């Protein structure tokens, strides 16, 4: 009897295990089928989007009027952006495909910048039309290769999961038809240089974002250590390590690591070799219960900037997350805010100390500049505003526009309904350069 019961129990166990294994197998297959379907959809979407992109660029070439050309170029930008996003849905992370992605991104940037400008006053020149013709030709090459891959995928029932597996395991990826096709696309795009987009586009895209405007002598490792001590107000018992950026860095700098044995916290800091300017600081430590207000943290931030000879700064934006103040300061000259020259700061609200600092934008944009005189008055600029916006504050400001150029604007802070906006009107031509919706205070859900 006992033997029969044991055999029955074992039989039930075997059947249960088999059923569990079958269920696991079915679930695994369902996941694989879902992933394969997503990859197939993304690939065929990409092929279709490149078809549309090629046709739209060709249509743009035949246009002449601004009324037709601006929306057509905007459509080229939209299609290029969609194709660029679709590439990211394919399992190509281990396959060099960066040139194709960069090419699609550059098409989008080129068409967007042409679309948003006043084509009546600044129509496309011969160089830009030549660029469009080259884009049309190169997109045709991509289109043809993708169609060829699409034909092989459909004819031979090729699976994208095999591509992912081949790339992940490096299991003869060169023998995979899909991988070979995408490598051919990448190879074709590599022959297309960024300079083919024209000198104006290249100068904007490659605008110097280094620290070429800063002055001062080169400092040593020991001097970098002393600068870190002074800037961070160190007591003297910390362990400090300094490493040079080495060859190949666009701007030479020193990386400083500070370990505090008392608090067991670590602080990381970069300092420029030329002039010894702090680039950024991050201190890793928990922030305890709040003891100071956001307004007091702002005052401490301004005092800190003056103490370290960052002069003529005023608060641009302040927010609070948990027990940390997030502050942005900008320089002001002759009553004009210069937004490219900004410094960001994080201040712990438990003791008021700086736990985060970034002067990268300030150092890359800081230079002697002559502020132009406005061509229109602030009253004229005010008339360019949406009449439904209630203006609360107004001032002059220099901002970077959508063409990545510095422009003098009238800045208006206004409200519309329950929302607050910052609106910039170009002080030379009255164009509405930028509209920013400011964040509303977040509710504290735990207290609702």
């Amino acid at each position: 009897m006992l033997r029969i019961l044991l055999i029955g129990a074992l039989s039930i166990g075997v059947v249960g295990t088999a059923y569990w294994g079958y269920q696991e197998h079915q679930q695994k297959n369902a996941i694989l089928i879902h992933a394969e379907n997503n990859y197939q959809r993304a690939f065929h979407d990409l092929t279709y989007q490149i078809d549309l992109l090629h046709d739209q660029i060709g249509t743009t070439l035949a246009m002449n009027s601004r009324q037709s050309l601006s929306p057509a170029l905007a459509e080229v930008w939209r299609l290029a952006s969609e194709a660029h996003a679709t590439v990211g849905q394919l399992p190509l992370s281990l396959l060099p495909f960066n040139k194709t992605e960069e090419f699609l991104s550059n098409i989008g940037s080129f068409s967007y910048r042409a679309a948003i400008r006043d084509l009546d006053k600044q129509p496309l020149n011969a160089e830009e039309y030549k660029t469009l013709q080259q884009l049309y030709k190169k997109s045709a090459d991509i289109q043809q290769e993708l169609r060829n891959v699409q034909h092989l995928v459909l004819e031979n029932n090729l699976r994208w999961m095999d591509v992912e597996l081949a790339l992940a395991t490096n299991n003869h990826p060169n023998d995979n038809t899909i991988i070979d096709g995408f490598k051919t696309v990448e190879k074709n795009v590599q022959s297309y240089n960024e300079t083919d987009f024209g000198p104006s586009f290249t100068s904007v895209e490659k605008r110097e974002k280094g620290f070429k405007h800063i002055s001062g002598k080169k400092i040593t490792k020991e001097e970098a250590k002393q600068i870190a001590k002074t800037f961070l107000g160190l007591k003297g018992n910390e362990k400090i390590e300094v490493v040079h950026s080495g060859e190949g860095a666009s701007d030479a700098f020193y990386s400083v690591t500070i370990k505090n044995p008392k608090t067991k916290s670590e602080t990381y800091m970069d300092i420029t070799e030329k002039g010894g300017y702090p680039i950024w600081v991050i201190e890793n430590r928990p922030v305890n219960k709040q003891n100071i207000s956001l307004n007091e943290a702002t005052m401490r931030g301004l005092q800190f900037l003056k103490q370290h000879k960052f002069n003529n700064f005023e608060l641009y934006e302040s927010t609070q997350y948990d027990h940390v103040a997030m502050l942005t300061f900008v320089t002001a000259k002759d009553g004009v805010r210069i937004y490219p020259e900004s410094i960001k700061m994080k201040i712990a609200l438990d003791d008021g100390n700086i736990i985060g600092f970034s002067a990268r934008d300030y150092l890359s944009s800081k230079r002697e500049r002559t502020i132009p005189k406005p061509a229109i008055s602030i009253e004229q600029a005010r008339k360019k505003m949406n009449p439904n916006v209630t203006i609360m504050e107004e001032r002059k400001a220099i901002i970077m526009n959508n063409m990545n150029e510095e422009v003098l604007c009238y800045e208006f802070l206004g409200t519309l309904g329950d929302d607050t906006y910052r609106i910039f009107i170009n002080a030379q031509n009255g164009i509405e350069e930028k509209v920013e919706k400011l964040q509303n205070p977040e509710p504290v859900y735990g207290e609702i």
Side-chain angles (χ1 to χ4, degrees):
M1 184 67 182
L2 182 60
R3 182 181 179 186
I4 294 173
L5 290 173
L6 287 173
I7 292 174
L10 287 173
S11 299
I12 293 172
V14 170
V15 172
T17 303
Y19 179 75
W20 175 81
Y22 174 77
Q23 288 289 93
E24 286 289 303
H25 179 72
Q26 289 293 96
Q27 289 177 6
K28 182 180 179 182
N29 280 343
I31 292 171
L32 291 174
I33 290 170
H34 181 70
E36 178 66 28
N37 289 341
N38 281 336
Y39 288 151
Q40 291 285 355
R41 175 196 53 76
F43 170 64
H44 294 297
D45 280 353
L46 175 63
T47 306
Y48 178 63
Q49 288 159 356
I50 294 297
D51 284 347
L52 293 178
L53 179 62
H54 174 253
D55 291 344
Q56 186 63 39
I57 295 174
T59 302
T60 304
L61 282 170
M63 293 178 176
N64 186 43
S65 69
R66 184 218 178 204
Q67 288 77 11
S68 300
L69 198 53
S70 286
L73 286 166
E75 182 66 8
V76 171
W77 165 70
R78 184 185 69 81
L79 291 170
S81 299
E82 284 187 356
H84 185 269
T86 303
V87 170
Q89 298 175 32
L90 294 171
L92 301 174
S93 58
L94 300 176
L95 177 70
F97 207 60
N98 56 303
K99 288 294 181 182
T100 303
E101 292 182 277
E102 184 181 352
F103 176 73
L104 291 171
S105 176
N106 285 342
I107 288 179
S109 297
F110 174 83
S111 56
Y112 175 75
R113 287 180 176 138
I116 63 174
R117 79 187 193 211
D118 190 338
L119 292 173
D120 286 333
K121 296 180 180 178
Q122 194 180 357
L124 294 181
N125 57 37
E127 188 70 29
E128 288 169 325
Y129 269 110
K130 181 180 177 182
T131 296
L132 278 175
Q133 290 171 342
Q134 291 170 328
L135 294 178
Y136 183 63
K137 180 179 181 300
K138 187 55 61 176
S139 62
D141 293 340
I142 297 175
Q143 177 192 45
Q144 186 61 38
E145 191 57 42
L146 285 177
R147 281 184 173 181
N148 182 48
V149 176
Q150 186 180 45
H151 168 72
L152 293 172
V153 167
L154 294 173
E155 186 177 64
N156 301 311
N157 293 319
L158 301 179
R159 293 176 0 122
W160 275 92
M161 294 303 296
D162 295 334
V163 173
E164 187 173 41
L165 182 63
L167 289 172
T169 61
N170 200 29
N171 184 19
H172 305 294
N174 293 327
D175 297 335
N176 188 287
T177 302
I178 297 177
I179 293 176
D180 291 344
F182 274 82
K183 282 185 175 180
T184 303
V185 173
E186 181 75 356
K187 185 177 180 181
N188 286 337
V189 173
Q190 282 179 347
S191 65
Y192 193 88
N193 297 320
E194 282 188 21
T195 53
D196 293 329
F197 282 91
S200 60
F201 175 84
T202 306
S203 63
V204 169
E205 286 297 294
K206 292 188 174 293
R207 175 164 293 184
E208 183 65 53
K209 286 300 291 180
F211 308 139
K212 65 178 183 178
H213 297 294
I214 63 176
S215 59
K217 68 177 185 68
K218 289 186 177 182
I219 64 170
T220 63
K221 281 188 178 182
E222 190 57 38
E223 288 173 320
K225 185 184 291 187
Q226 293 303 318
I227 290 171
K229 286 182 177 180
T230 302
F231 192 76
L232 300 174
L234 302 181
K235 306 299 182 182
N237 58 341
E238 298 85 0
K239 181 182 178 182
I240 302 176
E241 297 178 358
V242 182
V243 178
H244 192 267
S245 59
E247 299 295 331
S250 56
D251 293 288
F253 60 90
Y254 291 101
S255 290
V256 185
T257 302
I258 303 106
K259 296 180 180 179
N260 190 323
K262 184 177 180 180
T263 62
K264 296 183 179 180
S265 65
E266 291 187 351
T267 303
Y268 304 94
M269 180 178 184
D270 277 0
I271 300 170
T272 62
E273 181 183 46
K274 182 180 180 182
Y277 297 95
I279 304 172
W280 60 265
V281 177
I282 293 178
E283 180 181 355
N284 290 328
R285 72 166 177 86
V287 179
N288 300 315
K289 183 179 177 181
Q290 180 174 344
N291 291 313
I292 66 172
S293 66
L294 180 61
N295 182 63
E296 186 178 346
T298 301
M299 296 298 104
R300 292 195 183 199
L302 284 168
Q303 184 181 2
F304 180 86
L305 290 173
K306 290 179 182 178
Q307 179 183 346
H308 295 285
K309 299 181 180 179
F310 290 99
N311 299 315
N312 303 317
F313 273 86
E314 57 185 51
L315 180 67
Y316 161 57
E317 192 172 44
S318 65
T319 54
Q320 179 178 336
Y321 294 98
D322 294 330
H323 304 312
V324 176
M326 313 287 289
L327 309 172
T328 302
F329 301 94
V330 297
T331 57
K333 179 181 179 182
D334 300 328
V336 180
R337 280 187 176 180
I338 304 173
Y339 282 107
E341 296 181 6
S342 65
I343 288 180
K344 296 179 175 61
M345 200 178 296
K346 291 171 66 175
I347 297 180
L349 296 179
D350 54 0
D351 58 8
N353 286 334
I354 312 295
I355 58 173
F357 176 91
S358 175
R360 183 173 293 279
D361 290 340
Y362 172 78
L363 294 174
S364 61
S365 302
K366 175 64 178 175
R367 65 180 183 275
E368 288 298 323
R369 50 167 60 81
T370 301
I371 297 176
K373 291 184 178 180
I376 64 173
S377 66
I378 195 165
E379 289 78 14
Q380 291 172 309
R382 208 180 287 126
K383 292 178 181 178
K384 303 290 184 179
M385 293 275 291
N386 184 328
N388 296 317
V389 174
T390 302
I391 300 173
M392 310 298 292
E393 296 179 19
E394 53 190 31
R395 63 172 65 86
K396 294 177 188 175
I398 290 178
I399 67 168
M400 302 296 292
N401 66 7
N402 289 328
M403 298 293 289
N404 206 26
E405 300 168 335
E406 287 191 3
V407 289
L408 177 67
C409 293
Y410 289 108
E411 174 189 351
F412 297 95
L413 191 70
T415 59
L416 180 61
D418 296 328
D419 297 315
T420 304
Y421 297 86
R422 185 175 278 114
I423 302 171
F424 297 93
I425 304 295
N426 192 304
Q428 306 303 330
N429 53 31
I431 291 176
E432 189 176 68
E433 290 285 357
K434 191 176 291 187
V435 177
E436 298 176 352
K437 179 181 177 297
L438 303 187
Q439 289 184 349
N440 294 322
E442 290 285 343
V444 182
Y445 293 102
E447 297 179 2
I448 294 179

